[in-house]
Amino acid sequence: GESVGLHLPTLSVQEGDNSIINCAYSNSASDYFIWYKQESGKGPQFIIDIRSNMDKRQGQRVTVLLNKTVKHLSLQIAATQPGDSAVYFCAELIQGAQKLVFGQGTRLTINP
Amino acid sequence: ETGVTQTPRHLVMGMTNKKSLKCEQHLGHNAMYWYKQSAKKPLELMFVYNFKEQTENNSVPSRFSPECPNSSHLFLHLHTLQPEDSALYLCASSQYASPSTDTQYFGPGTRLTVL
């Protein structure tokens, strides 16, 4: 199942390069954020999360940065591989709410 | 792969048809979700079930009717749908219905086309 159609922002990078995918959120009361990866034909898959009391969190080849001042979230993928090709989207949880609000997504394409 | 399966994977139906989507999770979770993913919109939460009880209905039209007979199974009954209901319908599950602590695991989705 394709996650989204023709109107996604896209990012193309060379294999081996680093990728940075950005997300702007709108609610200053959001206190928890998640990045998901969705490959073609699959459902979204949790990558990494961060809480609002942190500015940075690292995983395996991925780093999430949170800038609360400008309400901006980014996902950095180091040494991108062909398997990183997917749609990436962020989700925010507004403090006190019990549901996630998802962003539109960015399609990442890895060029050989 | 994720422990959440959905059937069918693809469904084409007319506006007067009645069909059902099925979701099953093999993770021992207690919360299950239906999401809608359209081509031009972000992922939208439709329904949440926690311990078989519906805890969230995100203003979903009544032509979508969920059913959760037990914590492992979730259905979405469809009737009198509109073409704009065509989308990818995703099921997810989590240990409990707390998004800030419980990771949601998604199924592969059912691609629905309404003619």
Side-chain angles (χ1 to χ4, degrees), chain A:
Chain A
E2 295 296 323
S3 61
V4 287
L6 305 175
H7 302 282
L8 272 185
T10 58
L11 175 65
S12 293
V13 299
Q14 291 296 121
E15 183 177 348
D17 287 352
N18 298 334
S19 303
I20 300 177
I21 301 170
N22 297 302
C23 180
Y25 64 95
S26 56
N27 198 315
S28 57
S30 295
D31 61 356
Y32 178 62
F33 305 87
I34 306 174
W35 277 102
Y36 285 91
K37 172 185 181 183
Q38 188 171 17
E39 298 176 82
S40 181
K42 297 183 178 180
Q45 178 187 2
F46 173 95
I47 301 175
I48 191 168
D49 61 357
I50 188 168
R51 299 191 184 275
S52 59
N53 60 351
M54 302 173 70
D55 297 322
K56 178 180 180 179
R57 190 163 188 224
Q58 289 185 289
Q60 187 176 18
R61 279 201 311 118
V62 295
T63 301
V64 56
L65 298 177
L66 176 63
N67 185 330
K68 295 179 285 293
T69 302
V70 294
K71 298 200 284 288
H72 184 267
L73 193 67
S74 68
L75 177 70
Q76 300 179 359
I77 305 174
T80 50
Q81 304 167 358
D84 294 329
S85 292
V87 174
Y88 292 83
F89 50 91
C90 63
E92 61 183 296
L93 181 67
I94 301 169
Q95 190 177 38
Q98 288 300 310
K99 61 182 180 183
L100 295 169
V101 177
F102 291 84
Q104 183 73 17
T106 296
R107 185 179 300 279
L108 177 65
T109 301
I110 310 301
N111 300 316

Side-chain angles (χ1 to χ4, degrees), chain B residues 19-21 32-34 46-49 52-58 60-69 73-79:
Chain B
K19 297 287 184 183
S20 295
L21 310 185
M32 296 188 78
Y33 311 77
W34 278 118
M46 299 175 72
F47 301 103
V48 180
Y49 278 82
K52 302 188 298 179
E53 298 298 320
Q54 188 181 119
T55 57
E56 178 85 27
N57 177 337
N58 199 25
V60 181
S62 59
R63 58 185 183 271
F64 295 91
S65 176
E67 179 189 2
C68 188
H73 294 85
L74 185 64
F75 296 89
L76 188 62
H77 304 299
L78 316 171
H79 62 98

